[in-house]
Amino acid sequence: MFPETPAAAAALSVATRHYSPALLNHCVRSYLWGQMYGTAHGIAYDNELYYVSAVLHDIGLTEAFDSHMLPFENAGGHLAWVFGIAAGWPAERAARVEEIIVLHMRADVSPAADPEAHLLQIATSWEVVGRRPEEFSPEVRAELLLRYPRLGFGTEFLAHFHDQARRKPGSAAAASVDKNVAGRIAANPLEGHPPT
């Protein structure tokens, strides 16, 4: 399930230290939703690279790593590049984790062009706004949310996006706020599960 590599363990340590419990669970769920989707659709991908990207994709929303100028996905991507280099990855691999994190907030990427970014886009759009609900059965949803509950994720995430939009009006987060991300989060079927 989870890759057992030093970089994967280190990424989880960074995430556990800096994320709120709701954001941490969101990032772990994002990895797992993407893994399920990739398996169901026969998408070949680099599991360690996808895991590190998924676990660190919201690190730019945290107090320690928020940038006063850059959109959160760019700030998080820069940090993930530093992380990759510190983990001993080649520069090209570190650049890939940065690219995946930035792309998760951009227009859809095909699995042929970038399987890891595609999986993160699928997983996070399902997690946040309930896109493609047909891909995840009610039974799978219930099991995963029992293991990694939302803990008020929708409300916390919306607050982060409103903050990003206020301070960074040209960002993708601001565009999402303008396109009624609040309503889409509220309508997400995952938000209806009990917060156990």
Side-chain angles (χ1 to χ4, degrees), residues 38-128:
T39 299
H41 291 270
I43 298 171
Y45 62 96
D46 182 317
N47 192 36
E48 180 190 53
L49 184 62
Y50 175 58
Y51 178 84
V52 171
S53 301
V55 168
L56 296 180
H57 82 269
D58 279 341
I59 200 73
L61 291 175
T62 65
E63 184 177 347
F65 299 111
D66 179 29
S67 166
H68 69 286
M69 293 179 64
L70 295 175
F72 82 94
E73 68 274 19
N74 294 84
H78 289 315
L79 178 70
W81 182 90
V82 171
F83 173 90
I85 294 296
W89 287 0
E92 298 79 16
R93 187 170 181 79
R96 282 287 298 127
V97 76
E98 178 178 12
E99 180 179 37
I100 293 162
I101 289 172
V102 171
L103 286 175
H104 97 276
M105 287 294 292
R106 302 297 185 262
D108 288 350
V109 175
S110 76
D114 189 331
E116 294 82 18
H118 178 74
L119 294 181
L120 192 57
Q121 287 178 330
I122 293 291
T124 57
S125 64
W126 162 238
E127 260 288 291
V128 176

Side-chain angles (χ1 to χ4, degrees), residues 9 11 25 29 33 37 43-44 47 50 54 56 66 94 102 116 119 127 138 144 149 153 159 163 165-166 168 184 190:
N25 280 5
R29 285 192 311 269
W33 296 126
Y37 180 89
I43 298 171
N47 192 36
Y50 175 58
L56 296 180
D66 179 29
V102 171
E116 294 82 18
L119 294 181
E127 260 288 291
L144 193 54
F153 167 72
D163 177 60
R166 178 182 56 79
K168 306 164 193 179
R184 291 183 293 144
L190 294 175

